[in-house]
Each structure stands twice: as structure tokens, then as C-alpha cells.
Amino acid sequence: MAAAAASSSSLLLIIVAVAVAVVAVMSQAAHAKHNGGGLSSGFYDETCPSAHDVVRRVIQDARVADPRIPASLIRLHFHDCFVNGCDASILLDDDLPAIATEKTVPANDNSARGFNVIDDIKCELEKACPGVVSCADILALAAQISVQLAGGPRWRVPLGRRDATTTNIPSAEDLPNFFDPLDKLLRKFHNVGLDHADLVALQGAHTFGRTQCLFTRENCTAGRPADALDNLDDVTPDVFDNKYYGSLLHGIGKLPSDQVMLSDPYAAATTAPVVHRFASNQKDFFRSFAASMIKMGNISPLTGTMNGEIRHNCRRINTRDY
Ligand code: HEM
Ligand SMILES: *[C@@H]1O[C@H](CO)[C@@H](O)[C@H](O)[C@H]1NC(C)=O
């Protein structure tokens, strides 16, 4: 009788333990959506040790001809990660009916650029280590290297993403917009696991690069054509620093979506204190920017061996690569 009770209570214990383990695994799986589960900065140490140097060399060459390239490349990583996670879906060209490209949604059309540089990087990497480095990881590495080349912070990029075999047009059409009020921007960031401090830090990428004057608060004064280019940061147009936040404090942020981080009714309780912090302390901005970039790079990666693929050509899925 006592023995039976003991064994039934230990059976109960086992059942409880298994249930707890199952719940733990399930909640971990749910969290992997935004926490980059499975990525590691040493991912290519054995299989493609030259990956970082190759990416860096191609970007170095490209920015000699076009100083805007580092800015354009980090923006590609952002527009990739916000749409189905960091899976290089933004790089796919139209291949109907299977693939509808994200390159022609409003946020990308005549706007996203640098695709040829990604092609050049992929081409060099396919020579150095064929079939190893994903296009999604190229975007993440290119973003970090671009920031560093422009004088910004350095961080170790978690790697091991795989490439998508699909695109997501409705999600790409919902990318953050320059006219979005602050609560809408915050909602779009929250949807991918980023908070108000991440929004302020990441928009700090507008410390370099250009914008068509059509998107600016000045809106092409003096009859300039809509696609005439303005610096996003007039103080130091090609340098990655914290001057962008100083301009916000002076009320001269370029895009409506820049200035709302101070001027919106919601700003005082959310983003404004962070803008002040970054304006007065570049080290703080650099540290926060690196952390937020890692968070953004961790959005829903495809990992393992069953999900996605390593594309040979960043513009096409492998089965269509003939
Ligand atoms: C918060 C929402 C954001 C909005 C509404 C926004 C909007 C824009 C717009 C309208 C442009 C100009 C595009 C053009 O003229 O063709 C632009 C450029 C740029 N954005 Fe953003 N952006 C946002 C967040 C970010 C983030 C998170 C990053 C990177 C981490 C980023 C990096 C850049 C860069 C570097 C450029 C210049 C690109 C170039 O010169 O090619 N932006 N952004
Ligand atoms: C600038 O003006 C054009 C044409 O009226 C309009 O479509 C666009 O949204 C305006 N941009 C801004 C930032 O106000």
C-alpha cells in the first residue's frame, strides 16, 4: 500500500516535471521570435573566417565612389528586419507568380538602394566560401561595418540567419512612415519587440545619409524637384555621431518622424527624455545604438537546417536560380 502510494506520487512528480519542461520549451520557442535564438557572433569562425573582412573590403571600395553607401546599407537591414524578420526578403526581385518583390512598396520604391553592393559582397563571398554566408547575415554585417566606417560604434554581430523563400508585401507596406504620429511609430516598433528607447536610438541612424526633399518638413522649398536630395544631418552629413539629436533639440529635425520624438504630445512621457540623454552624451548613444541594433537584428531569424536556405544569389531563391 505504502509502496503503491510512493510510486504513484513519484509518477505524479514525473508528470509535473515533464509538464513544466514542455511549458518552458514552448515559451522559449515563442520568445525565439524576437530574441534571435540560435544566433552567435562566431557562427562563421570555422566555415568562413574571412566573411567580415570581405564585407568590409567591398563596402570600403563602394563608398569611395558613393559616400552615401554606408547609410543606404544600414537602411536595407532595417527594412529587412521589420518585414518577416531579418531574412533578406527585401533583396528578392520580382519572380511572379511565386515572388512579389518588396522593392516597390512605398517605403522602398525609388528609395531603398545599395542592392548592387550587396550583390558584389555576395559574389566575393561565394568565391571565398561557396554556399555558406546568408544574404540576411550579409545585411547585418554590412550595417555594423557601415556604422563603424562612418565613425560610429562597433559591436559583435550575432550571425547564423538563413534566407527566406518568400516575401511579405502587406507587412512591407506597413513599414514606419515619415508621416506616422509617435504612437503609431511606437506601435510598429513594439510589434517587433522594440521599445521607445530603441526607437530613439535607431532613428539616430539619420545621423548620415540623404532624403528626398519631398519627405522633409521643409518640403522642397524654392521649387526644387521632389526627388532633390537633402542631408538627413546637416551638421556632419556623412559622420556617425550624436549631432542628429542636437538638431532635434533645435527644432530642425529633417523628417516629421524625426521631430515627433520631441514634439508629439506623447513624447514627454516616452521618447523626449531619451533624445535629451543622447544629445548630451555620445558614448551613451553609441552604447544604446549598438544594443538596439542587436535587438533589431534578432527579430525572427530563420535558423537551424529546416528553415529557409542559404541563397546563392541574393535576388532569387535557389530553386529559381538558373
Ligand atoms: C522610425 C521610423 C523611420 C522612418 C519613418 C524613416 C524614414 C526615412 C525616410 C523617409 C528616409 C528618406 C528616404 C528617401 O529619401 O528615399 C530615410 C532614410 C534613411 N533612414 Fe530612416 N526612417 C526610420 C527609421 C530608421 C531606422 C531604424 C534606421 C536604421 C537603423 C534608418 C536609417 C536610415 C538611413 C541611414 C537613411 C538614409 C539612406 C540613404 O541615404 O540611402 N531609418 N528614412
Ligand atoms: C510635400 O508636398 C507634397 C505635395 O503637396 C505632399 O504630397 C507631401 O506629402 C508633402 N510632404 C511633407 C513632408 O509635408
Side-chain angles (χ1 to χ4, degrees):
M1 188 64 192
S7 82
S8 81
S9 75
S10 61
L11 184 65
L12 188 68
L13 262 179
I14 290 168
I15 291 170
V16 168
V18 168
V20 166
V22 166
V23 168
V25 166
M26 281 170 61
S27 78
Q28 209 175 14
H31 280 256
K33 207 172 142 46
H34 292 151
N35 75 0
L39 302 183
S40 70
S41 58
F43 190 80
Y44 296 114
D45 283 358
E46 311 292 326
T47 53
C48 194
S50 65
H52 187 277
D53 292 345
V54 169
V55 178
R56 187 186 166 98
R57 180 161 34 80
V58 176
I59 298 175
Q60 272 283 30
D61 288 350
R63 77 195 272 260
V64 173
D66 179 0
R68 188 181 168 192
I69 277 298
S72 303
L73 293 179
I74 189 178
R75 186 164 186 245
L76 287 183
H77 183 48
F78 160 48
H79 283 198
D80 179 33
C81 292
F82 267 59
V83 179
N84 272 14
C86 313
D87 62 358
S89 57
I90 191 176
L91 301 179
L92 290 171
D93 282 342
D94 249 342
D95 184 11
L96 298 168
I99 308 278
T101 187
E102 294 170 9
K103 295 178 183 179
T104 48
V105 303
N108 292 332
D109 199 22
N110 293 314
S111 181
R113 63 195 296 280
F115 295 110
N116 292 338
V117 179
I118 299 298
D119 290 339
D120 290 347
I121 294 170
K122 182 62 179 175
C123 187
E124 292 303 309
L125 283 173
E126 288 299 294
K127 284 185 214 155
C129 355
V132 170
V133 182
S134 68
C135 300
D137 278 346
I138 291 174
L139 288 174
L141 273 172
Q144 191 283 318
I145 290 165
S146 292
V147 167
Q148 205 180 333
L149 289 175
R154 167 191 183 138
W155 64 91
R156 288 158 62 84
V157 183
L159 297 167
R161 300 167 190 79
R162 292 165 66 82
D163 299 324
T165 52
T166 55
T167 56
N168 186 335
I169 304 305
S171 172
E173 285 174 339
D174 199 40
L175 276 163
N177 183 276
F178 61 102
F179 269 147
D180 284 345
L182 184 60
D183 63 333
K184 194 164 184 184
L185 290 177
L186 287 171
R187 199 153 4 103
K188 288 179 178 180
F189 274 64
H190 286 160
N191 285 343
V192 291
L194 300 172
D195 63 23
H196 69 279
D198 296 315
L199 171 65
V200 180
L202 291 171
Q203 278 223 281
H206 292 166
T207 177
F208 61 175
R210 314 285 179 266
T211 176
Q212 299 165 65
C213 62
L214 172 71
F215 302 131
T216 67
R217 293 165 63 228
E218 284 191 324
N219 203 350
C220 310
T221 48
R224 298 164 71 214
D227 62 353
L229 295 177
D230 285 334
N231 296 321
L232 278 164
D233 172 10
D234 278 329
V235 187
T236 49
D238 292 314
V239 180
F240 196 100
D241 58 20
N242 71 338
K243 299 286 195 296
Y244 162 85
Y245 299 102
S247 295
L248 296 186
L249 294 183
H250 288 110
I252 54 170
K254 282 285 156 158
L255 308 175
S257 45
D258 291 322
Q259 202 62 43
V260 289
M261 296 194 293
L262 268 186
S263 63
D264 193 278
Y266 285 107
T270 56
T271 47
V274 189
V275 171
H276 283 273
R277 237 176 71 204
F278 292 161
S280 66
N281 188 336
Q282 180 162 282
K283 252 193 182 154
D284 190 357
F285 166 50
F286 278 10
R287 211 176 317 111
S288 302
F289 184 81
S292 294
M293 282 296 291
I294 290 172
K295 254 172 106 173
M296 186 175 83
N298 283 348
I299 299 170
S300 310
L302 298 167
T303 56
T305 53
M306 306 300 286
N307 302 313
E309 61 183 19
I310 308 298
R311 266 179 233 151
H312 298 297
N313 175 338
C314 292
R315 293 174 182 267
R316 284 191 282 280
I317 63 174
N318 287 343
T319 52
R320 306 285 297 183
D321 187 24
Y322 46 73

